[in-house]
Amino acid sequence: MASSTAASALPETAPLPGTGGAQQRGVVVAGVVAIVLIGLNLRAGITGAAALLHDLQAVLGYGPLIAAVIPSIPTLCFAVAGAATSWLTRQLGLEKAILLSLVMLAAGLVLRGIPSTGMLLAGTVVGMSGLAVCNVAMPSFIRVHFADRTSLMTALYTVTMTTGATVTAVLIVPVAQALGSPSAGVGSIGLMALCACLGFVPIAVHAHRNASAVKAARVSPWPLLRTRTGALITLGFTVQALLAYAVLSWFPYMLVTMGMTASASGLMFGLMQLVSVPAGMVLVAIGSRPSRLRGAFLLATVTMALGVLAMLVLPVDWAPLTAVLLGFGLGIFPLVMVMISRSGRTTAETTALSTVAQSAGYLLATLGPFGMGLLHSATGSWTLPLILLLAVALGQIGVGQLLTARPKIPQSAERTPR
């Protein structure tokens, strides 16, 4: 999940396309390949671990507190690293900051392959911190280097991100079984991140050779929390992130505890991820006009609520229906990002809104996966966690009404008579 926090980074480089020459065209191709490789990795580390959480706990033997902490680490890292990404890119430059984040991602994911609870925690923190920086910086990379192809590159980036998550969710359990260890299965995801790291090296080298200090406009993000727009955008992002990461973190684990095999739960997890791709496209198409934005938001929210309700009352044999409903509800993320992009009066203000919404939103959204894990451990059932999650999903309807409300026209603004 990404934002444009790093838009005001220093220094910047000249855009990749448009300068001509065989060497430059080679760098452009390398940039497209890098976008694909990075996109494949940005959710794989999260979904891969989620599909193996039950097996990891059984083999490593950690308690319920650690079990609740592990799926909460990504959102915490997104909050902290998201707030620090702008500073990091100003210090190193956008491309070198992304390369550093990929090194951290690969190292952290490989570290998780060591069969130890401490290594699992440490690797998750390192890897997710790198993922968070890359997650936030990549939209700025696309905007800077592919200014005339932003929509195409963003679509490519989004599709590959979900594809990587889907393929990893489906294959990670068989891979772990073939390797004979869930830790080895989780660690194997780091090899794909290493490929992305190596693929980005030519871009970082090119950027280092052509760097020029260009100071961009910047708006301080945190005062925006005191404005109505900033508060509503942050609230909307928080609620959808809480729902998304609660579902992404625990869906396969819940299916396993309800009697489904680990391989089948991975398939259902992959189905949910797969449905979210066309769902996001459909919702953005519906909400492309401001007059239909409220309908698109309501459709996604109601579908998510129905998915949680199905998880609560239907037997595990109905998991495919539940996966489809939840997957469609997850498609709300690009819609929220469209709302953020339309909220700022300037590019710098939009960047600031995105920064504060994601930093504060992910921090608060940590209550979703962490709270569900603790409640399940305390009650021995998923009933209470799912009831509370359903309440949040229903509350998102009210948030959507506030977010999509049209500004009121003052009574003094009367039409001039013909």
Side-chain angles (χ1 to χ4, degrees), residues 263-342:
S263 298
S265 70
L267 288 175
M268 292 300 101
F269 195 33
L271 175 62
M272 183 180 72
Q273 294 282 337
L274 185 63
V275 170
S276 69
V277 178
M281 296 178 181
V282 169
L283 291 170
V284 169
I286 295 175
S288 58
R289 294 183 180 180
S291 60
R292 298 187 299 190
L293 185 60
R294 174 171 288 183
F297 202 97
L298 183 64
L299 176 60
T301 302
V302 170
T303 308
M304 173 62 77
L306 289 174
V308 177
L309 181 62
M311 194 79 186
L312 184 63
V313 301
L314 295 179
V316 72
D317 294 338
W318 289 78
L321 174 62
T322 304
V324 170
L325 290 172
L326 292 175
F328 195 94
L330 291 175
I332 198 174
F333 174 74
L335 189 65
V336 172
M337 297 310 296
V338 168
M339 295 173 69
I340 292 176
S341 67
R342 292 176 178 174

Side-chain angles (χ1 to χ4, degrees), residues 1-9 38 42 74-89 94 97-98 101 128-143 157 161 237 245 333 337 351-352 354-359 362:
M1 316 245 170
S3 77
S4 52
T5 306
S8 58
I38 292 172
L42 286 188
T75 51
L76 284 173
C77 291
F78 290 166
V80 176
T85 300
S86 182
W87 172 86
L88 183 64
T89 52
L94 180 61
I98 293 175
S101 71
M128 294 303 104
S129 296
L131 189 151
V133 172
C134 191
N135 203 26
V136 171
M138 277 305 295
S140 295
F141 173 82
I142 292 173
R143 184 170 60 251
Y157 167 73
M161 181 171 63
F237 189 91
Y245 280 90
F333 174 74
M337 297 310 296
T351 298
S354 180
T355 301
V356 70
Q358 295 207 46
S359 297
Y362 278 129

Side-chain angles (χ1 to χ4, degrees), residues 133-173:
V133 172
C134 191
N135 203 26
V136 171
M138 277 305 295
S140 295
F141 173 82
I142 292 173
R143 184 170 60 251
V144 169
H145 293 292
F146 296 92
D148 55 342
R149 301 181 180 91
T150 301
S151 298
L152 176 62
M153 291 299 106
T154 301
L156 178 65
Y157 167 73
T158 304
V159 169
T160 54
M161 181 171 63
T162 309
T163 301
T166 303
V167 172
T168 304
V170 172
L171 296 181
I172 192 63
V173 174

